[in-house]
mmCIF file of all heavy atoms in Angstrom:
data_model
loop_
_atom_site.group_PDB
_atom_site.id
_atom_site.type_symbol
_atom_site.label_atom_id
_atom_site.label_comp_id
_atom_site.label_asym_id
_atom_site.label_seq_id
_atom_site.Cartn_x
_atom_site.Cartn_y
_atom_site.Cartn_z
ATOM 1 N N ALA A 161 -10.276 7.212 -10.280
ATOM 2 C CA ALA A 161 -10.808 8.016 -9.251
ATOM 3 C C ALA A 161 -9.883 7.965 -8.032
ATOM 4 O O ALA A 161 -9.106 6.993 -7.912
ATOM 5 C CB ALA A 161 -12.222 7.490 -8.848
ATOM 6 N N SER A 162 -10.001 8.990 -7.174
ATOM 7 C CA SER A 162 -9.101 8.967 -5.957
ATOM 8 C C SER A 162 -9.771 9.795 -4.944
ATOM 9 O O SER A 162 -10.665 10.590 -5.134
ATOM 10 C CB SER A 162 -7.744 9.564 -6.374
ATOM 11 O OG SER A 162 -7.844 10.892 -6.721
ATOM 12 N N VAL A 163 -9.280 9.553 -3.682
ATOM 13 C CA VAL A 163 -9.741 10.250 -2.561
ATOM 14 C C VAL A 163 -8.546 10.399 -1.611
ATOM 15 O O VAL A 163 -7.745 9.463 -1.472
ATOM 16 C CB VAL A 163 -10.906 9.541 -1.846
ATOM 17 C CG1 VAL A 163 -10.608 8.173 -1.370
ATOM 18 C CG2 VAL A 163 -11.487 10.381 -0.680
ATOM 19 N N ALA A 164 -8.433 11.532 -0.896
ATOM 20 C CA ALA A 164 -7.335 11.840 -0.054
ATOM 21 C C ALA A 164 -7.760 11.645 1.432
ATOM 22 O O ALA A 164 -8.824 12.066 1.847
ATOM 23 C CB ALA A 164 -6.805 13.191 -0.231
ATOM 24 N N PHE A 165 -6.871 11.019 2.229
ATOM 25 C CA PHE A 165 -7.184 10.819 3.657
ATOM 26 C C PHE A 165 -6.157 11.544 4.474
ATOM 27 O O PHE A 165 -4.915 11.223 4.338
ATOM 28 C CB PHE A 165 -7.163 9.322 4.004
ATOM 29 C CG PHE A 165 -8.155 8.515 3.193
ATOM 30 C CD1 PHE A 165 -7.661 7.548 2.287
ATOM 31 C CD2 PHE A 165 -9.495 8.659 3.302
ATOM 32 C CE1 PHE A 165 -8.524 6.808 1.501
ATOM 33 C CE2 PHE A 165 -10.371 7.916 2.522
ATOM 34 C CZ PHE A 165 -9.906 6.996 1.692
ATOM 35 N N PRO A 166 -6.545 12.434 5.405
ATOM 36 C CA PRO A 166 -5.586 13.105 6.241
ATOM 37 C C PRO A 166 -4.933 12.156 7.230
ATOM 38 O O PRO A 166 -5.531 11.083 7.594
ATOM 39 C CB PRO A 166 -6.410 14.189 6.917
ATOM 40 C CG PRO A 166 -7.795 13.647 6.909
ATOM 41 C CD PRO A 166 -7.951 12.840 5.649
ATOM 42 N N VAL A 167 -3.756 12.535 7.734
ATOM 43 C CA VAL A 167 -3.070 11.840 8.830
ATOM 44 C C VAL A 167 -3.482 12.552 10.121
ATOM 45 O O VAL A 167 -3.605 13.773 10.104
ATOM 46 C CB VAL A 167 -1.633 11.837 8.676
ATOM 47 C CG1 VAL A 167 -0.886 11.223 9.875
ATOM 48 C CG2 VAL A 167 -1.223 11.068 7.357
ATOM 49 N N GLY A 168 -3.737 11.885 11.202
ATOM 50 C CA GLY A 168 -4.109 12.595 12.398
ATOM 51 C C GLY A 168 -4.089 11.696 13.600
ATOM 52 O O GLY A 168 -3.685 10.467 13.591
ATOM 53 N N PHE A 169 -4.441 12.298 14.691
ATOM 54 C CA PHE A 169 -4.567 11.574 15.996
ATOM 55 C C PHE A 169 -5.783 10.643 16.045
ATOM 56 O O PHE A 169 -6.846 11.059 15.630
ATOM 57 C CB PHE A 169 -4.589 12.514 17.216
ATOM 58 C CG PHE A 169 -3.323 13.172 17.509
ATOM 59 C CD1 PHE A 169 -2.997 14.451 17.066
ATOM 60 C CD2 PHE A 169 -2.316 12.457 18.207
ATOM 61 C CE1 PHE A 169 -1.780 15.030 17.421
ATOM 62 C CE2 PHE A 169 -1.116 13.002 18.537
ATOM 63 C CZ PHE A 169 -0.835 14.350 18.120
ATOM 64 N N VAL A 170 -5.607 9.442 16.548
ATOM 65 C CA VAL A 170 -6.649 8.566 16.825
ATOM 66 C C VAL A 170 -6.772 8.370 18.323
ATOM 67 O O VAL A 170 -5.816 8.084 19.015
ATOM 68 C CB VAL A 170 -6.429 7.145 16.141
ATOM 69 C CG1 VAL A 170 -7.523 6.160 16.545
ATOM 70 C CG2 VAL A 170 -6.263 7.329 14.696
ATOM 71 N N THR A 171 -7.973 8.637 18.816
ATOM 72 C CA THR A 171 -8.207 8.644 20.272
ATOM 73 C C THR A 171 -9.540 7.938 20.606
ATOM 74 O O THR A 171 -10.287 7.587 19.703
ATOM 75 C CB THR A 171 -8.274 10.063 20.835
ATOM 76 O OG1 THR A 171 -9.553 10.636 20.425
ATOM 77 C CG2 THR A 171 -7.180 10.968 20.340
ATOM 78 N N THR A 172 -9.824 7.848 21.892
ATOM 79 C CA THR A 172 -11.087 7.362 22.310
ATOM 80 C C THR A 172 -12.074 8.573 22.207
ATOM 81 O O THR A 172 -11.650 9.748 22.313
ATOM 82 C CB THR A 172 -11.052 6.835 23.761
ATOM 83 O OG1 THR A 172 -10.406 7.865 24.589
ATOM 84 C CG2 THR A 172 -10.379 5.574 23.878
ATOM 85 N N PRO A 173 -13.363 8.371 22.035
ATOM 86 C CA PRO A 173 -14.330 9.460 21.965
ATOM 87 C C PRO A 173 -14.276 10.283 23.233
ATOM 88 O O PRO A 173 -14.151 9.766 24.363
ATOM 89 C CB PRO A 173 -15.667 8.830 21.807
ATOM 90 C CG PRO A 173 -15.361 7.482 21.137
ATOM 91 C CD PRO A 173 -14.008 7.083 21.745
ATOM 92 N N GLY A 174 -14.359 11.623 23.140
ATOM 93 C CA GLY A 174 -14.346 12.481 24.292
ATOM 94 C C GLY A 174 -12.942 12.834 24.833
ATOM 95 O O GLY A 174 -12.830 13.579 25.798
ATOM 96 N N HIS A 175 -11.912 12.376 24.102
ATOM 97 C CA HIS A 175 -10.526 12.700 24.581
ATOM 98 C C HIS A 175 -10.303 14.173 24.393
ATOM 99 O O HIS A 175 -10.912 14.829 23.529
ATOM 100 C CB HIS A 175 -9.550 11.890 23.695
ATOM 101 C CG HIS A 175 -8.131 12.005 24.160
ATOM 102 N ND1 HIS A 175 -7.354 13.044 23.892
ATOM 103 C CD2 HIS A 175 -7.414 11.065 24.958
ATOM 104 C CE1 HIS A 175 -6.120 12.852 24.401
ATOM 105 N NE2 HIS A 175 -6.182 11.655 25.047
ATOM 106 N N PRO A 176 -9.454 14.804 25.229
ATOM 107 C CA PRO A 176 -9.191 16.267 25.088
ATOM 108 C C PRO A 176 -8.777 16.735 23.676
ATOM 109 O O PRO A 176 -9.085 17.799 23.262
ATOM 110 C CB PRO A 176 -8.088 16.569 26.163
ATOM 111 C CG PRO A 176 -8.305 15.437 27.201
ATOM 112 C CD PRO A 176 -8.823 14.274 26.450
ATOM 113 N N LEU A 177 -8.022 15.892 22.954
ATOM 114 C CA LEU A 177 -7.625 16.232 21.626
ATOM 115 C C LEU A 177 -8.856 16.469 20.673
ATOM 116 O O LEU A 177 -8.691 17.224 19.689
ATOM 117 C CB LEU A 177 -6.751 15.131 21.042
ATOM 118 C CG LEU A 177 -5.291 15.109 21.504
ATOM 119 C CD1 LEU A 177 -4.576 13.865 21.037
ATOM 120 C CD2 LEU A 177 -4.528 16.315 21.040
ATOM 121 N N THR A 178 -9.989 15.849 20.966
ATOM 122 C CA THR A 178 -11.123 15.979 20.091
ATOM 123 C C THR A 178 -11.804 17.286 20.241
ATOM 124 O O THR A 178 -12.843 17.535 19.527
ATOM 125 C CB THR A 178 -12.114 14.837 20.330
ATOM 126 O OG1 THR A 178 -12.707 14.955 21.675
ATOM 127 C CG2 THR A 178 -11.440 13.465 20.107
ATOM 128 N N ARG A 179 -11.403 18.163 21.187
ATOM 129 C CA ARG A 179 -12.044 19.479 21.400
ATOM 130 C C ARG A 179 -11.816 20.428 20.204
ATOM 131 O O ARG A 179 -12.506 21.414 20.041
ATOM 132 C CB ARG A 179 -11.588 20.013 22.729
ATOM 133 C CG ARG A 179 -12.087 19.229 23.903
ATOM 134 C CD ARG A 179 -11.461 19.770 25.197
ATOM 135 N NE ARG A 179 -11.742 18.878 26.273
ATOM 136 C CZ ARG A 179 -11.045 18.899 27.468
ATOM 137 N NH1 ARG A 179 -10.071 19.793 27.598
ATOM 138 N NH2 ARG A 179 -11.424 18.095 28.457
ATOM 139 N N GLY A 180 -10.671 20.180 19.450
ATOM 140 C CA GLY A 180 -10.362 21.057 18.391
ATOM 141 C C GLY A 180 -10.609 20.369 16.996
ATOM 142 O O GLY A 180 -10.778 19.163 16.901
ATOM 143 N N GLN A 181 -10.659 21.237 15.974
ATOM 144 C CA GLN A 181 -10.858 20.695 14.614
ATOM 145 C C GLN A 181 -9.586 20.034 14.085
ATOM 146 O O GLN A 181 -9.587 19.171 13.274
ATOM 147 C CB GLN A 181 -11.266 21.815 13.665
ATOM 148 C CG GLN A 181 -12.627 22.393 13.947
ATOM 149 C CD GLN A 181 -13.759 21.462 13.533
ATOM 150 O OE1 GLN A 181 -13.656 20.752 12.539
ATOM 151 N NE2 GLN A 181 -14.778 21.410 14.364
ATOM 152 N N THR A 182 -8.382 20.459 14.574
ATOM 153 C CA THR A 182 -7.078 19.877 14.244
ATOM 154 C C THR A 182 -6.228 19.857 15.515
ATOM 155 O O THR A 182 -6.595 20.401 16.519
ATOM 156 C CB THR A 182 -6.359 20.728 13.162
ATOM 157 O OG1 THR A 182 -6.142 22.036 13.655
ATOM 158 C CG2 THR A 182 -7.168 20.789 11.867
ATOM 159 N N ALA A 183 -5.123 19.170 15.405
ATOM 160 C CA ALA A 183 -4.147 19.121 16.530
ATOM 161 C C ALA A 183 -2.732 19.199 15.982
ATOM 162 O O ALA A 183 -2.454 18.818 14.846
ATOM 163 C CB ALA A 183 -4.392 17.776 17.248
ATOM 164 N N ARG A 184 -1.858 19.721 16.810
ATOM 165 C CA ARG A 184 -0.462 19.889 16.532
ATOM 166 C C ARG A 184 0.345 18.579 16.942
ATOM 167 O O ARG A 184 -0.032 17.995 17.932
ATOM 168 C CB ARG A 184 0.177 21.053 17.113
ATOM 169 C CG ARG A 184 -0.460 22.386 16.737
ATOM 170 C CD ARG A 184 0.183 23.571 17.346
ATOM 171 N NE ARG A 184 0.367 23.475 18.771
ATOM 172 C CZ ARG A 184 -0.617 23.832 19.571
ATOM 173 N NH1 ARG A 184 -1.738 24.267 19.175
ATOM 174 N NH2 ARG A 184 -0.456 23.701 20.910
ATOM 175 N N PHE A 185 1.410 18.297 16.197
ATOM 176 C CA PHE A 185 2.201 17.119 16.480
ATOM 177 C C PHE A 185 2.864 17.254 17.866
ATOM 178 O O PHE A 185 3.029 16.313 18.540
ATOM 179 C CB PHE A 185 3.291 16.932 15.376
ATOM 180 C CG PHE A 185 4.200 15.766 15.615
ATOM 181 C CD1 PHE A 185 3.697 14.514 15.478
ATOM 182 C CD2 PHE A 185 5.525 15.909 16.051
ATOM 183 C CE1 PHE A 185 4.451 13.367 15.725
ATOM 184 C CE2 PHE A 185 6.302 14.792 16.259
ATOM 185 C CZ PHE A 185 5.815 13.516 16.051
ATOM 186 N N SER A 186 3.137 18.469 18.245
ATOM 187 C CA SER A 186 3.790 18.685 19.586
ATOM 188 C C SER A 186 2.930 18.221 20.753
ATOM 189 O O SER A 186 3.417 17.949 21.821
ATOM 190 C CB SER A 186 4.132 20.158 19.764
ATOM 191 O OG SER A 186 2.955 20.950 19.714
ATOM 192 N N GLN A 187 1.586 18.034 20.495
ATOM 193 C CA GLN A 187 0.729 17.640 21.518
ATOM 194 C C GLN A 187 0.933 16.134 21.928
ATOM 195 O O GLN A 187 0.377 15.614 22.885
ATOM 196 C CB GLN A 187 -0.704 17.884 21.170
ATOM 197 C CG GLN A 187 -1.061 19.328 21.146
ATOM 198 C CD GLN A 187 -2.509 19.615 20.613
ATOM 199 O OE1 GLN A 187 -2.674 19.828 19.401
ATOM 200 N NE2 GLN A 187 -3.447 19.622 21.491
ATOM 201 N N CYS A 188 1.766 15.424 21.118
ATOM 202 C CA CYS A 188 2.116 14.100 21.417
ATOM 203 C C CYS A 188 2.761 14.007 22.848
ATOM 204 O O CYS A 188 2.631 13.033 23.492
ATOM 205 C CB CYS A 188 3.141 13.542 20.410
ATOM 206 S SG CYS A 188 2.503 13.037 18.857
ATOM 207 N N SER A 189 3.533 15.062 23.191
ATOM 208 C CA SER A 189 4.226 15.035 24.433
ATOM 209 C C SER A 189 3.311 15.099 25.682
ATOM 210 O O SER A 189 3.682 14.810 26.824
ATOM 211 C CB SER A 189 5.178 16.191 24.541
ATOM 212 O OG SER A 189 4.449 17.483 24.470
ATOM 213 N N LEU A 190 1.957 15.393 25.428
ATOM 214 C CA LEU A 190 1.033 15.531 26.564
ATOM 215 C C LEU A 190 0.298 14.224 26.894
ATOM 216 O O LEU A 190 -0.305 14.146 27.954
ATOM 217 C CB LEU A 190 -0.042 16.602 26.197
ATOM 218 C CG LEU A 190 0.438 18.012 25.824
ATOM 219 C CD1 LEU A 190 -0.723 18.889 25.447
ATOM 220 C CD2 LEU A 190 1.224 18.579 27.000
ATOM 221 N N TYR A 191 0.423 13.212 26.029
ATOM 222 C CA TYR A 191 -0.369 11.986 26.234
ATOM 223 C C TYR A 191 0.513 10.788 25.915
ATOM 224 O O TYR A 191 1.452 10.842 25.154
ATOM 225 C CB TYR A 191 -1.569 12.067 25.329
ATOM 226 C CG TYR A 191 -2.380 13.275 25.421
ATOM 227 C CD1 TYR A 191 -2.287 14.273 24.452
ATOM 228 C CD2 TYR A 191 -3.290 13.419 26.519
ATOM 229 C CE1 TYR A 191 -3.067 15.395 24.546
ATOM 230 C CE2 TYR A 191 -4.035 14.583 26.654
ATOM 231 C CZ TYR A 191 -3.931 15.613 25.704
ATOM 232 O OH TYR A 191 -4.631 16.719 25.808
ATOM 233 N N PRO A 192 0.129 9.644 26.470
ATOM 234 C CA PRO A 192 0.839 8.346 26.122
ATOM 235 C C PRO A 192 0.621 8.071 24.648
ATOM 236 O O PRO A 192 -0.526 8.303 24.120
ATOM 237 C CB PRO A 192 0.152 7.318 27.023
ATOM 238 C CG PRO A 192 -0.570 8.082 28.069
ATOM 239 C CD PRO A 192 -0.897 9.415 27.521
ATOM 240 N N VAL A 193 1.607 7.697 23.934
ATOM 241 C CA VAL A 193 1.547 7.491 22.474
ATOM 242 C C VAL A 193 1.770 6.029 22.141
ATOM 243 O O VAL A 193 2.706 5.416 22.618
ATOM 244 C CB VAL A 193 2.556 8.413 21.746
ATOM 245 C CG1 VAL A 193 2.536 8.080 20.242
ATOM 246 C CG2 VAL A 193 2.191 9.849 21.974
ATOM 247 N N ILE A 194 0.916 5.547 21.245
ATOM 248 C CA ILE A 194 1.181 4.177 20.547
ATOM 249 C C ILE A 194 1.702 4.479 19.163
ATOM 250 O O ILE A 194 0.971 4.978 18.318
ATOM 251 C CB ILE A 194 -0.114 3.407 20.563
ATOM 252 C CG1 ILE A 194 -0.694 3.182 21.953
ATOM 253 C CG2 ILE A 194 0.098 1.987 19.911
ATOM 254 C CD1 ILE A 194 -2.187 2.990 21.988
ATOM 255 N N ALA A 195 2.946 4.187 18.938
ATOM 256 C CA ALA A 195 3.552 4.624 17.644
ATOM 257 C C ALA A 195 3.490 3.540 16.617
ATOM 258 O O ALA A 195 3.856 2.387 16.885
ATOM 259 C CB ALA A 195 5.000 4.980 17.942
ATOM 260 N N PRO A 196 3.014 3.891 15.420
ATOM 261 C CA PRO A 196 3.153 2.951 14.324
ATOM 262 C C PRO A 196 4.685 2.834 13.953
ATOM 263 O O PRO A 196 5.404 3.804 14.009
ATOM 264 C CB PRO A 196 2.459 3.691 13.147
ATOM 265 C CG PRO A 196 1.633 4.738 13.807
ATOM 266 C CD PRO A 196 2.398 5.095 15.002
ATOM 267 N N ARG A 197 5.121 1.675 13.576
ATOM 268 C CA ARG A 197 6.514 1.484 13.271
ATOM 269 C C ARG A 197 6.622 0.784 11.883
ATOM 270 O O ARG A 197 5.636 0.142 11.382
ATOM 271 C CB ARG A 197 7.208 0.651 14.303
ATOM 272 C CG ARG A 197 6.626 -0.684 14.550
ATOM 273 C CD ARG A 197 7.439 -1.595 15.467
ATOM 274 N NE ARG A 197 8.708 -1.857 14.851
ATOM 275 C CZ ARG A 197 9.723 -2.531 15.420
ATOM 276 N NH1 ARG A 197 9.567 -2.953 16.666
ATOM 277 N NH2 ARG A 197 10.867 -2.752 14.796
#
Side-chain angles (χ1 to χ4, degrees):
S162 65
V163 61
F165 302 115
V167 174
F169 283 101
V170 177
T171 73
T172 51
H175 189 278
L177 282 171
T178 64
R179 294 171 187 162
Q181 294 288 323
T182 60
R184 299 184 307 277
F185 181 70
S186 60
Q187 291 175 269
C188 283
S189 62
L190 302 177
Y191 307 102
V193 174
I194 303 157
R197 57 171 297 176

